[in-house]
Amino acid sequence: MDVDARALYVISVAAELAGVHPQTLRIYERKGLLPPARTSGRSRRYSDRDIALLRRIQDLTNDGVSLAGVQRILALENDLAIARERIAELEARLDALQREAELQVEAAHRQYRRDLVPARSTVVARIEAHR
């Protein structure tokens, strides 16, 4: 399990770490911005990743973004992160395909060299034009 994703903090500690009131975390949860993990007793638990997200939400709201706007921004940032991961995967795949193509071209060139007959062992017929 990802260390940053372990839900360790109770709501009061998470709120203090993020610099917000515990009620703010409950509001964020109701709005769907930050669903905390739950214990078997249904107590909220927050991870380091959740704390970072709380701070990001606070930064956006402090800049005047509404909670609906924050939700949209976070969704777009998530989409962007997924797209960047996909691009990186595709670039790695492209690099591997290019290396494979280069190896195949080199192999084809080696084969051509084996198939060529040296000029010194070849008989060339010369036909001279009459003037």
Side-chain angles (χ1 to χ4, degrees):
M1 176 181 219
D2 183 3
V3 174
D4 290 340
R6 289 185 309 194
L8 305 170
Y9 308 108
V10 295
I11 192 168
S12 59
V13 174
E16 186 175 331
L17 289 171
V20 298
H21 192 276
Q23 187 60 35
T24 303
L25 274 73
R26 292 182 188 97
I27 292 168
Y28 291 169
E29 180 182 356
R30 275 194 306 277
K31 297 285 187 180
L33 291 171
L34 183 70
R38 297 281 184 160
T39 65
S40 58
R42 303 291 298 146
S43 295
R44 293 172 179 88
R45 292 291 186 270
Y46 296 89
S47 67
D48 287 329
R49 185 176 293 152
D50 293 333
I51 304 303
L53 180 57
L54 282 167
R55 289 180 179 144
R56 177 71 178 127
I57 293 168
Q58 282 303 109
D59 288 345
L60 291 169
T61 57
N62 289 339
D63 287 342
V65 178
S66 69
L67 291 182
V70 168
Q71 197 167 25
R72 186 67 183 136
I73 289 169
L74 295 176
L76 289 170
E77 287 175 346
N78 186 58
D79 291 348
L80 180 59
I82 291 168
R84 285 180 172 156
E85 287 175 15
R86 181 69 176 137
I87 289 168
E89 290 169 4
L90 291 171
E91 286 175 338
R93 191 169 161 205
L94 178 60
D95 288 344
L97 288 172
Q98 286 175 328
R99 284 191 298 277
E100 179 61 30
E102 289 168 1
L103 292 173
Q104 289 179 2
V105 167
E106 289 174 15
H109 285 292
R110 283 192 299 278
Q111 182 64 39
Y112 296 151
R113 284 189 213 107
R114 281 193 293 270
D115 292 345
L116 292 176
V117 178
R120 61 183 171 274
S121 64
T122 304
V123 177
V124 177
R126 291 181 115 195
I127 300 174
E128 295 205 16
H130 294 287
R131 291 187 193 201

